[in-house]
């Protein structure tokens, strides 16, 4: 059964994830404890063999081999992190793609309920049969890729017994010879029955029939995608490379991470201990990472966190039949709502959520933008709030100096003294004149306008 802990991490708090470390079902401990025990047993065997069985000369040879293996594991000869990280990322993307490809009949059942009409026995029969065909297709595809579903329906007779298929439909299904998976046959029956419903007027126009076919194709595409996910796996060579990289790395660690006699003065061997704590942690992380990839590469097995395919089948057939049968044209009385006479109303809160009413509604990040009164330049000043409305192009009908002079006079309400303008017009910068084609008095007036605006 899928392990869910969503409620326990709904709120971030002190020690939130730490509480999850003591769970056994679906945990990394359950996946890894056998490999960890084997590694510890092998490491302990070599440690005792080195300390109590080997002769001094043999110990010297073992120590040289251990130093060589230790140098090998501490280098980048085996790129464990790279190959393992990329592999798990690929496996996770594949796992998520399989989850999103699971065929759910929700969209299809809504279209069938809204477009296949008739409250009589014939209309009910058409709607239920259409949805039964759709669910039958998903059962057939899941039966071919999921061990749980195959154990539930080991033969097609079990599918008939469950009510997804009739005896006549089984005969027709088996009469069509094909070397490939025939999960698509019930969907073909769906299209044929939908066409017949259109001829009978149960589907009232071609637009409704087209809508039925579009939703059916989306449903069929997901069934097909699940089949191809099962058919085309991550290349076996990559899985082998990752497995060999991890196992060979820790095979060398069994020798290379042994604690050697500190009296011989070997580098990094100053302390003699029996338990390699950090090596065990490294084994837990790397091998646990490999186990995660092994877990999610095929989520249609029987692991703790694999998809609950049988429960999904039960859910799909139940809700689809309810939607097209019990819920067909089923409406509650249309009445005026509780707030019919109120132009402005508020939805009540409970005592536990009453504090949320004190929080102001978010209206935008610039809604409460402040205006500077000091030297800060990232906020608007009071002067920036003044409205500036440019007039037509009359400013520039004459020369540049005349147009800019009228612009300055208009900006000051016509109160700028002519002498002040003339003083600006008489500014002359010889260095600028050498590099600019604009006359000196015009350029001086441009400077005034730039400084002013």
């Amino acid at each position: 059964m899928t392990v869910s802990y969503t409620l326990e991490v709904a709120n971030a708090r002190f020690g939130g994830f730490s509480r999850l470390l003591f769970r056994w079902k679906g945990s990394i401990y359950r996946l890894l404890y056998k490999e960890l025990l084997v590694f510890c047993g092998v490491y302990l065997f070599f440690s005792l063999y080195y300390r109590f069985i080997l002769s001094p000369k043999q110990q010297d040879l073992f120590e040289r081999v251990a130093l060589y293996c230790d140098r090998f594991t501490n280098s980048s000869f085996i790129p464990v992190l790279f190959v393992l990280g990329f592999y798990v990322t690929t496996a996770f993307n594949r796992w998520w793609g399989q989850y999103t490809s699971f065929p759910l009949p929700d969209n299809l059942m809504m279209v069938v309920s809204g477009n296949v009409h008739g409250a009589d026995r014939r209309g009910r029969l058409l709607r239920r049969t259409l949805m039964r065909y759709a669910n039958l297709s998903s059962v057939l595809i899941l039966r071919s890729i999921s061990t749980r579903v195959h154990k539930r329906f080991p033969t097609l007779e079990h599918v008939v017994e469950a009510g997804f298929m009739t005896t006549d439909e089984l005969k027709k299904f088996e009469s069509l010879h094909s070397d490939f998976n025939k999960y698509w046959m019930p969907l073909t029956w769906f299209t044929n029955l939908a066409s017949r419903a259109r001829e009978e007027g149960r589907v009232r126009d071609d637009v409704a029939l087209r809508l039925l076919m579009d939703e059916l194709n989306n449903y069929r595409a997901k069934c097909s995608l699940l089949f191809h996910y099962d058919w085309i796996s991550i290349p076996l060579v990559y899985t082998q490379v990752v497995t060999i990289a991890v196992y060979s790395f820790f095979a060398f660690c069994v020798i290379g991470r042994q604690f050697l006699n500190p009296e011989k003065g070997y580098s990094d061997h100053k302390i003699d201990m029996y338990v390699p704590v950090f090596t065990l942690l490294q084994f837990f992380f790397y091998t646990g990472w490999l186990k995660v990839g092994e877990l999610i590469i095929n989520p249609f097995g029987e692991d703790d966190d694999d998809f609950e395919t049988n429960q999904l089948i039960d859910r799909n057939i139940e809700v689809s039949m309810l939607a097209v049968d019990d819920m067909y044209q089923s409406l509650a009385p249309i009445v005026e709502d509780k707030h019919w006479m109120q132009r402005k109303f508020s939805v009540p809160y409970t005592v536990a959520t009453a504090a949320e009413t004190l929080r102001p509604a978010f209206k935008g990040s610039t809604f409460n933008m402040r205006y500077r009164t000091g030297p800060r330049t990232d906020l608007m000043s009071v002067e920036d709030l003044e409205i500036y409305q440019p007039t037509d192009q009359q400013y520039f009908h004459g020369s540049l100096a005349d147009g800019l002079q009228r612009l300055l006079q208009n900006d000051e309400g016509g109160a700028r003294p002519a002498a002040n303008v003339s003083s600006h017009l008489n500014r002359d910068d010889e260095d600028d004149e050498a590099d600019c084609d604009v006359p000196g008095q015009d350029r001086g007036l441009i400077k005034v306008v730039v400084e002013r605006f």
Side-chain angles (χ1 to χ4, degrees), residues 44 76 82 130 132 144 147 170 246 307 310 343 373 388 401 417:
L44 180 61
S76 59
F82 173 75
L130 288 172
R132 184 169 58 81
S144 63
T147 56
L170 177 59
V246 174
F307 299 156
N310 282 323
R343 296 183 58 86
T373 56
Y388 169 71

Side-chain angles (χ1 to χ4, degrees), residues 332-396:
I334 302 177
V335 297
E336 299 175 356
D337 61 84
K338 182 179 179 180
H339 308 286
W340 178 265
M341 301 302 296
Q342 302 176 15
R343 296 183 58 86
K344 183 178 181 181
F345 58 89
S346 59
V347 180
Y349 285 76
T350 61
V351 176
T353 58
E356 297 182 13
T357 61
L358 304 177
R359 301 175 185 175
F362 180 75
K363 299 181 180 179
S365 57
T366 63
F367 185 78
N368 294 324
M369 186 173 177
R370 297 172 298 169
Y371 302 99
R372 65 179 172 87
T373 56
R376 291 185 60 182
T377 59
D378 58 332
L379 301 177
M380 296 178 63
S381 64
V382 178
E383 290 79 4
D384 294 331
L385 300 179
E386 297 181 2
I387 297 177
Y388 169 71
Q389 180 64 45
T391 58
D392 54 13
Q393 299 179 357
Q394 62 181 348
Y395 294 134
F396 304 100

Side-chain angles (χ1 to χ4, degrees), residues 187-224:
L187 301 180
T188 306
W189 296 342
F190 185 104
T191 59
N192 296 336
L193 186 59
S195 299
R196 182 173 298 179
R198 174 70 182 98
E199 294 174 357
E200 296 177 3
R202 303 285 180 170
V203 179
R204 294 177 179 173
D205 51 40
D206 293 337
V207 176
L209 181 62
R210 172 64 183 273
L211 185 59
L212 278 171
M213 294 298 102
D214 288 343
E215 290 299 334
L216 178 68
N217 284 329
N218 292 334
Y219 189 85
R220 179 208 54 80
K222 290 191 174 183
C223 293
S224 177

Side-chain angles (χ1 to χ4, degrees), residues 114-352:
N115 294 279
V116 181
H117 300 281
D120 56 349
R121 185 179 182 278
R122 176 63 176 174
R124 181 188 179 194
L125 179 63
L126 287 174
R127 290 189 299 273
R128 291 181 65 92
T129 304
L130 288 172
M131 293 312 304
R132 184 169 58 81
Y133 287 159
N135 283 278
L136 173 60
S137 180
S138 66
V139 169
L140 293 178
I141 190 61
L142 289 174
R143 181 176 170 271
S144 63
I145 68 174
S146 174
T147 56
R148 290 181 178 181
V149 179
H150 190 81
K151 287 182 178 181
R152 184 180 181 182
F153 306 109
T155 63
L156 290 179
E157 284 73 15
H158 290 81
V159 178
V160 174
E161 183 66 23
F164 289 97
M165 182 187 294
T166 64
T167 305
D168 293 335
E169 291 168 354
L170 177 59
K171 293 179 181 179
K172 186 174 289 292
F173 185 85
E174 293 178 340
S175 64
L176 181 65
H177 174 73
S178 176
D179 295 330
F180 302 98
N181 194 318
K182 295 186 291 184
Y183 69 91
W184 47 268
M185 280 191 63
L187 301 180
T188 306
W189 296 342
F190 185 104
T191 59
N192 296 336
L193 186 59
S195 299
R196 182 173 298 179
R198 174 70 182 98
E199 294 174 357
E200 296 177 3
R202 303 285 180 170
V203 179
R204 294 177 179 173
D205 51 40
D206 293 337
V207 176
L209 181 62
R210 172 64 183 273
L211 185 59
L212 278 171
M213 294 298 102
D214 288 343
E215 290 299 334
L216 178 68
N217 284 329
N218 292 334
Y219 189 85
R220 179 208 54 80
K222 290 191 174 183
C223 293
S224 177
L225 194 56
L226 284 184
F227 177 75
H228 285 86
Y229 268 121
D230 185 69
W231 184 15
I232 308 298
S233 302
I234 296 177
L236 178 62
V237 291
Y238 195 15
T239 304
Q240 292 175 338
V241 166
V242 174
T243 306
I244 292 173
V246 174
Y247 285 178
S248 62
F249 177 83
F250 287 105
F252 286 109
C253 285
V254 168
I255 305 296
R257 300 294 175 85
Q258 293 288 336
F259 291 97
L260 305 180
N261 190 354
E263 297 179 356
K264 296 186 178 182
Y266 293 119
S267 178
D268 298 330
H269 288 273
K270 308 298 182 182
I271 302 177
D272 188 9
M273 299 177 62
Y274 287 90
V275 181
V277 177
F278 295 104
T279 301
L280 291 179
L281 288 176
Q282 197 173 25
F283 179 87
F284 185 84
F285 297 148
Y286 286 3
T287 312
W289 209 355
L290 181 64
K291 279 293 181 180
V292 170
E294 181 181 348
L295 174 68
I296 65 178
I297 193 172
N298 183 11
F300 293 101
E302 298 179 83
D303 295 320
D304 290 340
D305 276 313
D306 283 344
F307 299 156
E308 295 290 342
T309 47
N310 282 323
Q311 288 190 4
L312 285 170
I313 289 174
D314 296 339
R315 180 262 175 195
N316 290 345
I317 187 64
E318 179 178 330
V319 299
S320 59
M321 291 304 177
L322 287 175
V324 300
D325 192 358
D326 295 45
M327 292 296 297
Y328 176 70
Q329 293 186 350
S330 176
L331 289 174
I334 302 177
V335 297
E336 299 175 356
D337 61 84
K338 182 179 179 180
H339 308 286
W340 178 265
M341 301 302 296
Q342 302 176 15
R343 296 183 58 86
K344 183 178 181 181
F345 58 89
S346 59
V347 180
Y349 285 76
T350 61
V351 176

